[in-house]
C-alpha cells in the first residue's frame, strides 16, 4: 500500500513530482519482468507478491540512489534477487533452490530478453481466446484459483498425471501460438 | 531443447518437481545460456497468465456486481478507487486486458456508424410499412361493388397439413403451393410432383399423399383423388366436429365439376360426414373403419387396398349403391371401359400385385438410442457429447465437474426440457429410500458416499484426439471399444447418479411403436494413468453397482469392477411400463474411480398392439 500511496501522493513521501513520474515510468516497464523473475525462483504466487511489494517499496525508498545512466531493470532485478534470496532462506530445506550464481545469470537473461518480450507478451491475450473450454478451465484453476496439479486433479476428476499433461500441453499450445503470431507479423510486408 | 525439459520447467513453475528432478533441471540450465532463455520465456508466460487471468476474473466479478447494483448504488467510481484496487504492488499493468468502453473512439467508430445507420433505415422501413398497412386497410374496408359485404362467402378449414417429407410441388405456373403446415380449406388442391404430405382432418382422419399426386379436399370427410396414391387412416381419433372459419372468399372448387355421389353427404355441408370417402374418376372408396390405400393411374384406373378394417368400393356411374366390401389385405381395381362405357370392377383375388403405399411419413424407429436422447435428441438421431446435470436436471453442453452431495440434499429432479427423460437424481440410501421417478416409486438403495463426478454424459464412440487430450474422465477411458461393440457410444454415469427415461413419453412420440427391451453393455472404465499409478495398482478402487428399475421394480443389479469384462444388460419392458431407471452406486468403498459406463444403450421398439396384428400378417 505504501507504494500505491507514494505514487498517488509523491509529495507526501518526500519525492519530487518529476522524480515520481520517472519512477512510475520505469516501474511500469520493469514490473512484469521483475514479477516473472521473482515468481520463477520462488514458484509461489503469494510469496512472490509479497516479495514484489517489498521490492517496490525499496525502489521507492532508494530511488534517489538510482544512477539514471544504468538500466532501471538491471537495478530492479538486482534488488529483486536479494529480496528473493532472503525469502528463500525461510523456505524449507527439502525444497530445491537455484544457486545464487544461476539466479544472477537468470536476471541477466531477463534483462537481455526484455525487449523482445514486450512484443511477444500481448499476443498471449489473443491466443487465450483460441483455447477451448476445457483448456481454459485448467488455466483458470491453476492461475485464478491458484491450485496445484494434485488439487486440480480432484476437481477435474482426473489423475494428477493427466492434469500435468493437460497443463503442459495447454501452455505449449499458447507458446506455439505466440510464436506463430509473431512469425506472421514478421512476414507482413 | 526437448519436450522433456520444457515439461520440467513447467513442473518447476508449478512447484511440482521432485528435489532430484529440480537438481537435474538446474544442471541443464547451467549448461547453455539458450536453456536459460527458454526458462525465462516460460516464466514470463507463466507470470503473465497469472496476471491476465486474474484480471479477467476480477473484471467479470466486478461486472456482475455492477449489474446487480445497477440503479441502486449511484456512487461514483472515483471515490472508491484507492481502496478498491486489489493488489498494491502492481501499480500500472503494462499489458492490461482489453476492455471496451463507450468512449469517444467508439462513438467515432465504424460499429457506431453502422448502428446509427441501422436505426435510421429501420425507422424509415417502419414508416413505409405504416403507410402501406394504412393503404391496404383502406382497400379492405371499402365496400365491394360487386359483392355485398354481408353476402361475402366464408372459407372453411377442415384440417391441417401435419407433415411433409421431401415434397416437390407441381411446377405448373398456375398452381400456388400452400405454406408449410397450413390449415386445409375446403376446396384446397394439392399437386405434388414428389414426396409425401400428410393432411389431418379435424375429424381425426389422416391422409398421406404420395407424389406424384393430385388431390382436392372436397368435404370435411374426404376428397377427390384424380391422380397418384394416397393412404387414408380413419377411426384412430374420434371426430372432434370442430372447424375453423375465417372471413374470405369461398373456394370456387366447391362448384367443381366432380359431383359428389349420393352415398356421400353434401360436401359443402359443415356437418361432419358419417363416413370418410375418397372419390376418384372411376370409383368411390368409402371407409368402414379402417386404413386403406387408393391409387389412380393416368388412365383413370383405381386400385384400392385395405390394410386394416374394411372399405366399400363403388363404381362410378353403374347406378348400384351396394358396391364391394374389401377386408384386410384385400384389393380391388376399377378400370375404365373402352369407349364411353361404365368402368369395370375387377374383383378381389384377380388384381394381381397390388401397388405399395406409404403408410407413414417416416419409418417408425426400430431402436431408440438413449445416447441421442441424453444429448437432447428424440432417440432416432446421432446426438452426442452433451449431458445432463444430475443435481438440477438441466442440460450440460460441456462436461462439468460438480461438488459432492450431502445426504438428503439432492432430491429427485424432473427434466422438464426433454419429453423422453423423466428425471435425474444422486442416490444415497443414508437419507432413506431413494425416489426413482416422478411416479413416486422409491427403492431402498444402499448408502453411498454421496459423491459423483460430473455430468451424466453421452459420449461418442470415437472422439477427436484433441478432445480426448483436453477432456475429463469420460474421454480418457482406456479400451473403450470393449463397452461399445456396436460403436454407438457410452452413457457415462459415474457412481452415485441415476437417470429415469419416460417410456410413456416414447409411446406418445411414436404412437405405432412401444419400447420392448432395454439393452446395453455395462462396465467400469479406467484410463491409462490409473493402471500406471503404482499407488492405485492394488487398491480396490473402481468398484460399483449398476441397477436397472422399471416403474420402481428392480429388474437387474450387477456389481462391476474396473478390471472386469463388460456385462450385457437386457431387460424386457411391458406395454404399459412408464419409467426405465438406470442407477450407478459406489460399491461401498467410496466412489473414487467408479467410472460406470453403459455402452450402446438402446431401447428395442416393437409395433404397438394394434399394429402388431397387421405387421404379423
Amino acid at each position: 500500500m505504501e507504494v500505491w500511496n507514494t505514487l498517488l501522493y509523491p509529495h507526501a513521501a518526500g519525492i519530487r513530482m518529476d522524480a515520481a513520474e520517472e519512477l512510475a515510468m520505469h516501474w511500469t516497464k520493469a514490473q512484469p519482468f521483475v514479477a516473472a523473475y521473482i515468481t520463477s525462483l520462488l514458484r509461489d504466487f503469494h510469496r512472490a507478491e509479497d516479495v514484489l511489494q517489498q521490492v517496490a517499496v525499496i525502489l521507492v525508498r532508494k530511488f534517489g540512489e538510482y544512477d539514471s545512466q544504468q538500466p532501471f531493470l538491471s537495478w530492479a532485478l538486482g534488488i529483486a534477487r536479494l529480496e528473493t534470496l532472503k525469502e528463500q532462506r525461510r523456505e524449507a530445506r527439502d525444497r530445491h533452490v537455484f544457486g545464487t550464481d544461476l539466479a544472477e545469470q537468470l536476471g541477466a537473461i531477463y534483462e537481455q530478453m526484455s525487449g523482445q518480450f514486450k512484443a511477444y507478451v500481448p499476443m498471449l491475450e489473443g491466443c487465450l481466446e483460441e483455447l477451448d473450454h476445457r483448456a481454459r478451465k485448467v488455466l483458470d484453476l491453476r492461475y485464478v484459483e491458484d491450485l496445484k496439479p494434485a488439487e486440480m486433479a480432484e476437481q477435474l476428476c482426473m489423475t494428477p498425471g493427466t492434469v500435468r499433461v493437460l497443463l503442459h500441453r495447454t501452455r505449449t499450445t499458447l507458446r506455439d501460438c505466440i510464436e506463430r503470431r509473431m512469425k506472421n507479423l514478421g512476414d507482413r510486408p | 531443447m526437448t519436450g522433456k525439459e520444457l515439461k520440467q520447467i513447467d513442473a518447476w513453475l508449478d512447484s511440482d518437481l521432485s528435489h532430484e528432478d529440480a537438481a537435474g533441471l538446474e544442471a541443464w540450465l547451467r549448461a547453455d545460456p539458450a536453456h536459460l532463455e527458454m526458462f525465462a520465456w516460460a516464466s514470463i508466460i507463466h507470470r503473465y497468465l497469472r496476471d491476465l487471468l486474474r484480471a479477467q476474473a476480477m473484471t467479470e466479478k466486478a461486472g456482475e456486481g455492477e449489474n446487480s447494483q445497477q440503479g441502486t448504488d449511484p456512487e461514483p467510481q472515483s471515490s472508491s478507487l484507492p481502496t478498491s484496487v486489489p493488489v498494491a504492488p502492481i501499480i500500472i499493468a503494462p499489458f492490461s486486458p482489453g476492455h471496451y468502453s463507450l468512449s469517444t473512439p467508439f462513438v467515432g467508430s465504424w460499429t457506431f456508424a453502422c448502428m446509427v445507420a441501422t436505426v435510421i433505415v429501420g425507422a424509415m422501413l417502419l414508416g413505409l410499412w405504416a403507410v402501406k398497412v394504412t393503404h391496404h386497410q383502406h382497400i379492405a374496408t371499402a365496400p365491394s361493388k360487386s359483392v355485398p359485404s354481408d353476402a361475402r362467402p366464408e372459407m372453411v378449414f377442415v384440417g391441417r397439413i401435419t407433415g411433409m417429407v421431401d415434397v416437390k410441388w407441381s411446377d405448373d405456373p398456375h398452381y400456388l403451393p400452400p405454406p408449410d403446415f397450413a390449415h386445409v380449406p375446403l376446396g384446397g388442391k394439392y399437386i405434388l410432383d414428389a414426396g409425401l404430405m400428410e393432411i389431418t382432418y379435424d375429424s381425426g382422419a389422416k391422409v398421406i399423399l404420395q407424389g406424384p399426386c393430385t388431390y382436392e379436399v372436397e368435404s370435411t370427410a374426404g376428397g377427390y383423388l384424380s391422380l397418384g396414391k394416397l393412404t387414408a387412416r380413419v377411426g384412430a381419433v374420434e371426430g372432434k366436429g370442430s372447424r375453423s372459419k375465417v372471413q374470405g372468399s369461398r373456394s370456387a372448387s366447391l362448384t367443381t365439376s366432380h359431383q359428389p355421389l349420393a352415398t356421400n353427404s353434401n360436401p359443402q355441408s359443415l356437418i361432419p360426414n358419417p363416413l370418410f370417402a375418397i372419390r376418384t374418376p372411376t370409383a368411390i372408396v368409402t371407409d368402414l373403419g379402417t386404413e386403406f390405400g387408393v391409387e389412380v393411374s393416368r388412365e383413370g384406373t383405381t386400385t384400392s387396398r385395405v390394410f386394416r378394417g374394411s372399405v366399400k368400393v363403388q363404381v362410378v356411374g353403374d347406378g348400384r349403391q351396394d358396391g364391394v366390401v374389401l377386408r384386410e389385405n384385400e384389393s380391388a381395381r376399377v378400370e375404365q371401359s373402352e369407349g364411353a362405357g361404365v368402368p369395370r370392377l375387377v374383383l378381389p383375388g384377380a388384381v394381381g400385385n397390388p401397388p405399395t403405399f406409404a403408410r407413414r411419413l417416416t419409418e417408425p424407429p426400430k431402436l431408440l438410442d438413449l445416447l441421442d436422447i441424453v444429448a437432447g435428441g428424440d432417440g432416432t438421431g446421432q446426438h452426442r457429447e452433451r449431458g445432463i446435470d444430475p443435481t438440477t436436471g438441466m442440460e450440460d453442453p460441456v462436461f462439468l465437474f460438480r461438488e459432492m452431495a450431502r445426504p438428503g440434499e439432492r432430491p429427485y429432479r424432473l427434466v422438464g426440457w426433454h419429453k423422453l427423460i423423466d428425471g435425474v437424481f444422486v442416490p444415497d440410501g443414508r437419507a432413506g429410500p431413494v425416489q426413482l421417478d416422478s411416479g413416486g416409486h422409491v427403492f431402498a438403495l444402499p448408502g453411498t458416499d454421496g459423491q459423483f463426478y460430473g455430468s451424466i454424459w453421452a459420449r461418442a464412440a470415437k472422439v477427436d484426439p484433441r478432445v480426448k487430450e483436453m477432456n475429463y474422465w469420460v474421454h480418457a477411458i482406456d479400451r473403450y471399444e470393449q463397452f461399445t461393440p456396436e460403436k454407438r457410444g457410452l452413457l457415462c454415469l459415474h457412481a452415485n447418479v441415476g437417470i429415469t427415461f419416460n417410456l410413456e413419453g416414447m409411446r406418445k412420440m411414436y404412437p405405432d411403436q412401444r419400447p420392448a427391451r432395454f439393452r446395453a453393455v455395462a462396465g467400469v472404465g479406467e484410463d491409462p494413468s490409473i493402471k500406471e499409478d503404482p499407488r492405485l495398482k492394488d487398491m480396490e478402487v473402481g468398484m460399483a453397482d449398476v441397477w436397472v428399475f422399471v416403474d420402481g421394480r428392480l429388474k437387474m443389479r450387477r456389481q462391476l469392477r474396473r478390471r472386469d469384462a463388460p456385462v450385457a444388460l437386457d431387460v424386457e419392458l411391458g406395454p404399459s411400463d412408464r419409467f426405465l431407471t438406470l442407477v450407478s452406486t459406489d460399491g461401498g468403498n467410496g466412489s473414487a474411480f467408479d467410472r460406470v459406463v453403459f455402452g450402446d444403450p438402446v431401447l428395442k421398439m416393437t409395433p404397438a398392439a394394434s399394429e402388431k396384428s397387421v405387421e404379423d400378417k
Side-chain angles (χ1 to χ4, degrees):
Chain A
M1 195 55 66
E2 189 176 343
V3 182
W4 180 249
N5 288 335
T6 301
L7 286 161
L8 280 178
Y9 313 105
H11 54 281
I15 297 177
R16 286 178 294 109
M17 204 55 161
D18 53 349
E21 284 172 6
E22 192 185 348
L23 171 59
M25 188 186 70
H26 283 310
W27 179 242
T28 298
K29 290 177 183 170
Q31 188 263 358
F33 304 102
V34 176
Y37 175 71
I38 296 169
T39 308
S40 70
L41 295 176
L42 290 178
R43 297 174 287 162
D44 181 294
F45 286 122
H46 295 295
R47 291 172 65 213
E49 302 288 357
D50 291 345
V51 171
L52 183 66
Q53 178 148 350
Q54 186 58 27
V55 169
V57 170
I58 292 169
L59 289 174
V60 170
R61 283 180 182 159
K62 294 192 174 180
F63 190 59
E65 300 169 19
Y66 166 59
D67 178 2
S68 60
Q69 301 300 311
Q70 300 299 317
F72 180 85
L73 180 59
S74 176
W75 183 58
L77 284 170
I79 292 171
R81 180 165 55 82
L82 292 173
E83 290 303 308
T84 305
L85 190 63
K86 279 187 202 170
E87 180 65 22
Q88 283 176 328
R89 283 181 186 142
R90 296 190 205 121
E91 277 195 63
R93 289 190 177 180
D94 60 344
R95 294 197 70 186
H96 187 86
V97 173
F98 286 164
T100 51
D101 59 328
L102 185 63
E104 198 168 344
Q105 283 180 50
L106 204 52
I109 291 287
Y110 272 95
E111 200 181 329
Q112 284 172 25
M113 297 177 71
S114 61
Q116 72 188 91
F117 280 138
K118 277 179 203 167
Y120 273 45
V121 172
M123 303 280 177
L124 187 56
E125 261 185 74
C127 292
L128 273 174
E129 289 171 9
E130 289 183 11
L131 294 179
D132 70 12
H133 170 82
R134 291 169 184 91
R136 182 58 194 252
K137 172 83 178 169
V138 167
L139 290 183
D140 281 344
L141 288 175
R142 176 68 189 97
Y143 290 105
V144 180
E145 303 297 326
D146 203 8
L147 299 183
K148 296 286 184 288
E151 298 164 317
M152 293 164 67
E154 279 182 31
Q155 284 232 3
L156 297 172
C157 192
M158 293 175 175
T159 61
T162 310
V163 170
R164 285 184 195 105
V165 170
L166 192 53
L167 202 48
H168 171 67
R169 285 183 180 161
T170 305
R171 286 167 172 154
T172 303
T173 303
L174 288 174
R175 289 187 283 249
D176 291 347
C177 170
I178 292 169
E179 284 173 7
R180 192 179 66 245
R181 286 182 176 222
M182 282 306 295
K183 187 172 180 298
N184 291 342
L185 204 63
D187 290 344
R188 285 183 194 167
Chain B
M1 184 66 194
T2 66
K4 185 189 165 198
E5 277 79 28
L6 203 49
K7 263 186 194 169
Q8 287 206 327
I9 292 172
D10 282 346
W12 165 267
L13 295 172
D14 290 333
S15 300
D16 201 30
L17 204 59
S18 69
H19 194 79
E20 292 73 25
D21 286 341
L25 177 65
E26 181 170 353
W28 180 80
L29 289 173
R30 289 175 185 281
D32 190 336
H35 297 171
L36 282 175
E37 280 186 22
M38 188 55 65
F39 181 85
W41 166 232
S43 305
I44 286 272
I45 300 289
H46 177 68
R47 176 67 209 196
Y48 184 61
L49 276 171
R50 159 81 169 185
D51 292 343
L52 179 63
L53 293 172
R54 280 176 68 92
Q56 287 180 350
M58 282 194 285
T59 305
E60 278 172 22
K61 265 190 184 174
E64 285 166 15
E66 276 173 23
N67 289 339
S68 63
Q69 290 176 11
Q70 255 179 3
T72 58
D73 184 10
E75 190 181 351
Q77 279 189 330
S78 56
S79 65
S80 60
L81 184 61
T83 53
S84 65
V85 175
V87 183
I90 303 169
I91 298 162
I92 303 167
F95 311 116
S96 61
H99 301 293
Y100 297 100
S101 59
L102 276 173
S103 57
T104 307
F106 173 73
V107 172
S109 68
W110 276 106
T111 311
F112 183 75
C114 288
M115 287 169 64
V116 171
T118 306
V119 170
I120 292 170
V121 170
M124 287 169 67
L125 287 174
L126 194 65
L128 286 172
W129 175 79
V131 170
K132 200 174 176 183
V133 166
T134 309
H135 178 65
H136 284 176
Q137 281 173 338
H138 176 72
I139 293 170
T141 52
S144 166
K145 287 178 183 174
S146 56
V147 183
S149 59
D150 57 349
R152 186 167 293 156
E154 63 181 19
M155 183 177 278
V156 178
F157 294 101
V158 298
R160 287 181 68 94
I161 298 172
T162 48
M164 291 198 281
V165 178
D166 300 331
V167 165
K168 187 177 174 230
W169 297 105
S170 167
D171 53 10
D172 180 346
H174 302 294
Y175 177 67
L176 182 65
D180 292 357
F181 301 97
H183 287 277
V184 171
L186 270 179
K189 192 169 184 177
Y190 301 94
I191 308 177
L192 283 70
D193 278 354
L196 302 174
M197 187 185 95
E198 182 184 72
I199 295 171
T200 301
Y201 284 76
D202 286 345
S203 64
K206 287 180 185 288
V207 169
I208 296 176
L209 307 179
Q210 186 176 340
C213 165
T214 303
Y215 180 74
E216 193 170 338
V217 177
E218 60 176 15
S219 81
T220 56
Y224 179 75
L225 178 69
S226 54
L227 178 70
K229 293 181 191 176
L230 65 72
T231 309
R233 190 171 193 174
V234 191
V237 179
E238 289 301 315
K240 290 182 281 184
S242 63
R243 61 184 185 276
S244 306
K245 291 183 190 178
V246 292
Q247 290 299 116
S249 60
R250 183 179 290 274
S251 166
S253 69
L254 287 179
T255 55
T256 178
S257 58
H258 317 304
Q259 296 302 317
L261 297 179
T263 52
N264 279 338
S265 59
N266 183 352
Q268 298 183 40
S269 167
L270 299 179
I271 300 167
N273 292 318
L275 298 175
F276 189 91
I278 300 293
R279 287 197 316 118
T280 75
T282 51
I284 305 113
V285 184
T286 305
D287 158 62
L288 300 176
T290 189
E291 182 185 2
F292 61 95
V294 181
E295 181 189 46
V296 177
S297 70
R298 293 197 181 279
E299 295 75 33
T301 300
T302 300
T303 307
S304 305
R305 183 182 175 191
V306 178
F307 303 113
R308 285 189 295 145
S310 58
V311 298
K312 181 166 72 176
V313 179
Q314 295 165 279
V315 177
V316 172
D318 71 351
R320 294 173 55 185
Q321 299 295 316
D322 51 351
V324 173
V325 174
L326 301 179
R327 306 202 181 276
E328 264 184 30
N329 231 17
E330 290 181 346
S331 304
R333 193 165 67 224
V334 181
E335 296 174 342
Q336 288 280 25
S337 297
E338 289 182 8
V342 174
R344 183 171 66 95
L345 177 67
V346 180
L347 293 173
V351 172
N353 289 330
T356 54
F357 293 91
R359 296 175 62 192
R360 300 176 188 88
L361 285 185
T362 54
E363 273 299 303
K366 291 176 179 163
L367 288 175
L368 286 188
D369 185 324
L370 295 183
L371 294 169
D372 181 58
I373 291 172
V374 168
D378 61 5
T380 62
Q382 293 289 316
H383 294 81
R384 297 289 187 273
E385 299 304 324
R386 290 177 77 88
I388 302 171
D389 173 5
T391 62
T392 64
M394 295 173 76
E395 286 181 273
D396 269 348
V398 292
F399 185 88
L400 291 177
F401 172 80
R402 282 182 183 80
E403 302 288 333
M404 67 178 72
R406 287 186 203 158
E409 271 196 348
R410 298 274 163 77
Y412 186 82
R413 295 287 185 192
L414 292 173
V415 175
W417 55 272
H418 202 307
K419 289 178 181 173
L420 305 184
I421 301 175
D422 184 62
V424 292
F425 54 100
V426 179
D428 184 356
R430 289 178 297 177
V434 176
Q435 184 177 347
L436 301 178
D437 54 51
S438 63
H441 298 111
V442 295
F443 193 86
L445 285 164
T448 68
D449 68 6
Q451 293 187 49
F452 67 99
Y453 292 85
S455 319
I456 295 170
W457 195 252
R459 200 204 105 150
K462 271 201 170 181
V463 179
D464 186 323
R466 285 172 300 177
V467 173
K468 200 170 180 178
E469 283 169 9
M470 306 296 281
N471 223 315
Y472 299 103
W473 71 267
V474 293
H475 293 117
I477 296 169
D478 193 26
R479 296 190 298 122
Y480 67 89
E481 298 90 345
Q482 63 180 324
F483 302 114
T484 173
E486 296 173 10
K487 296 183 173 52
R488 290 179 185 276
L490 303 172
L491 176 59
C492 300
L493 215 67
H494 196 286
N496 302 336
V497 160
I499 180 168
T500 299
F501 295 94
N502 184 346
L503 303 176
E504 196 170 24
M506 292 170 193
R507 288 194 293 270
K508 281 184 185 164
M509 188 173 280
Y510 304 105
D512 297 338
Q513 303 285 103
R514 71 170 182 85
R517 303 198 84 81
F518 162 68
R519 282 196 330 227
V521 176
V524 174
E526 58 179 347
D527 66 44
S529 61
I530 300 177
K531 286 195 291 188
E532 291 161 11
D533 194 326
R535 292 167 301 177
L536 300 175
K537 198 174 177 184
D538 300 318
M539 285 176 66
E540 276 300 328
V541 294
M543 187 170 76
D545 291 314
V546 295
W547 313 68
V548 182
F549 297 91
V550 175
D551 289 353
R553 301 184 304 274
L554 178 61
K555 291 287 183 177
M556 187 174 267
R557 177 191 178 181
R558 293 286 182 273
Q559 189 168 71
L560 306 172
R561 292 165 193 268
R562 67 186 159 105
R563 296 190 187 100
D564 290 350
V567 175
L569 304 179
D570 191 346
V571 173
E572 188 172 354
L573 303 170
S576 56
D577 290 337
R578 294 173 61 201
F579 304 108
L580 169 70
T581 304
L582 309 180
V583 186
S584 68
T585 56
D586 64 54
N589 62 339
S591 58
F593 304 103
D594 291 353
R595 299 168 175 185
V596 173
V597 294
F598 291 82
D600 301 334
V602 293
L603 294 179
K604 189 173 182 297
M605 303 294 277
T606 193
S610 57
E611 288 284 301
K612 204 167 188 320
S613 61
V614 178
E615 297 286 334
D616 290 345
K617 284 177 186 176

